[in-house]
């Protein structure tokens, strides 16, 4: 995959260090409460796996799969549930675990959706955030890294289902899009 990459934006060590810091914050903020971690498939798989293992408190985990309609590399904000949660979130303290917030459209829909189901609280943790996220009203309590407005892959993030298994976050070389 090396020749398809332009640059490493966030090295694996930085991801691990930041997730451990965020886990310590979550441990502190949710002390005495059972948090329900909700991951969004498939991008958040790596973040969830490493973040939840850095937590000291016990946490339940559930998954949703959604598709945001849109073409190519932009989402439209129109969301369809492909796989719903396995359990009821009524009265639960929900922490959505995300890989990246770009337009924030998918996430703002998800937060509203989980609140409407009667969750006691809904907060958001994301590894990466792009500048456009500021345009949408999504309160993101935990942010790993603010990154520039480039399309990135790796650590769960794909381009046409590829590159998810890179251990770091990087940008693609222009020839990949052109091809
Ligand atoms: P948003 O609705 O624009 O915030 O984007 C939501 C989803 O689009 C994310 O959860 C990712 O799956 C995908 N996405 C956004 N930006 C990128 C990127 O730079 N690389 C890979 N996927 C991305």
């Amino acid at each position: 995959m090396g020749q398809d990459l332009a640059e490493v934006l966030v090295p694996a060590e930085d991801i691990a260090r930041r997730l451990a810091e965020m886990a310590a914050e979550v441990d502190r903020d949710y002390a005495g409460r059972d948090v329900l971690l909700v991951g969004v498939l498939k991008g958040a798989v790596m973040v969830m796996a490493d973040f939840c293992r850095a937590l000291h408190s016990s946490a339940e985990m559930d998954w949703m799969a959604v598709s945001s309609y849109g073409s190519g590399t932009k989402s439209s904000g129109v969301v369809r549930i492909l796989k719903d949660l396995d359990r009821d979130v009524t009265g639960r303290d929900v922490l959505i675990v995300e890989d990246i917030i770009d337009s924030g459209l998918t996430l703002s829909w998800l937060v509203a959706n989980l609140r409407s189901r009667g969750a006691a609280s809904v907060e958001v943790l994301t590894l990466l955030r792009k500048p456009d996220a500021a345009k949408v009203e999504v309160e993101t309590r935990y942010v790993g890294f603010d990154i520039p407005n480039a399309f990135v892959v790796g650590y769960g993030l794909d381009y046409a289902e590829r590159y998810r298994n890179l251990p770091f976050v990087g940008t693609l070389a222009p020839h990949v899009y052109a091809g």
Side-chain angles (χ1 to χ4, degrees), residues 13-26:
E13 310 78 72
D14 293 6
I15 295 173
R17 179 185 43 79
R18 193 71 192 101
L19 287 181
E21 287 168 3
M22 290 197 283
E25 275 183 64
V26 170

Side-chain angles (χ1 to χ4, degrees), residues 28-62:
R28 204 175 48 234
D29 295 348
Y30 286 85
R33 289 188 289 163
D34 278 330
V35 65
L36 174 64
L37 305 176
V38 170
V40 183
L41 295 168
K42 306 168 198 168
V45 165
M46 311 293 176
V47 183
M48 177 72 96
D50 288 337
F51 166 72
C52 74
R53 282 182 293 178
L55 279 176
H56 291 285
S57 30
S58 117
E60 287 173 56
M61 196 191 296
D62 206 343

Side-chain angles (χ1 to χ4, degrees), residues 139-174:
E139 263 190 53
T140 311
R141 183 133 173 210
Y142 310 94
V143 179
F145 300 94
D146 279 303
I147 61 166
N149 208 355
F151 192 78
V152 293
V153 294
Y155 202 74
L157 292 162
D158 74 306
Y159 175 65
E161 290 301 324
R162 297 185 64 205
Y163 312 104
R164 289 192 199 274
N165 60 317
L166 288 167
F168 52 80
V169 173
T171 50
L172 284 175

Side-chain angles (χ1 to χ4, degrees), residues 19-179:
L19 287 181
E21 287 168 3
M22 290 197 283
E25 275 183 64
V26 170
D27 275 332
R28 204 175 48 234
D29 295 348
Y30 286 85
R33 289 188 289 163
D34 278 330
V35 65
L36 174 64
L37 305 176
V38 170
V40 183
L41 295 168
K42 306 168 198 168
V45 165
M46 311 293 176
V47 183
M48 177 72 96
D50 288 337
F51 166 72
C52 74
R53 282 182 293 178
L55 279 176
H56 291 285
S57 30
S58 117
E60 287 173 56
M61 196 191 296
D62 206 343
W63 297 91
M64 280 180 84
V66 299
S67 88
S68 357
Y69 291 107
S71 57
T73 56
K74 284 281 165 214
S75 85
S76 64
V78 181
V79 178
R80 188 160 61 101
I81 298 177
L82 303 176
K83 184 225 167 284
D84 208 344
L85 297 171
D86 291 335
R87 66 202 77 188
D88 186 9
V89 296
T90 310
R92 299 299 309 266
D93 290 306
V94 174
L95 178 59
I96 299 172
V97 176
E98 261 287 21
D99 47 2
I100 191 164
I101 306 178
D102 181 7
S103 70
L105 292 169
T106 309
L107 197 62
S108 66
W109 177 89
L110 192 56
V111 170
N113 180 281
L114 295 180
R115 288 214 169 110
S116 74
R117 301 185 197 194
S121 66
V122 181
E123 300 288 351
V124 177
L125 176 147
T126 184
L127 178 67
L128 305 168
R129 182 172 65 182
K130 289 194 197 174
D132 277 353
K135 293 183 198 158
V136 174
E137 278 288 310
V138 191
E139 263 190 53
T140 311
R141 183 133 173 210
Y142 310 94
V143 179
F145 300 94
D146 279 303
I147 61 166
N149 208 355
F151 192 78
V152 293
V153 294
Y155 202 74
L157 292 162
D158 74 306
Y159 175 65
E161 290 301 324
R162 297 185 64 205
Y163 312 104
R164 289 192 199 274
N165 60 317
L166 288 167
F168 52 80
V169 173
T171 50
L172 284 175
H175 75 83
V176 179
Y177 301 104

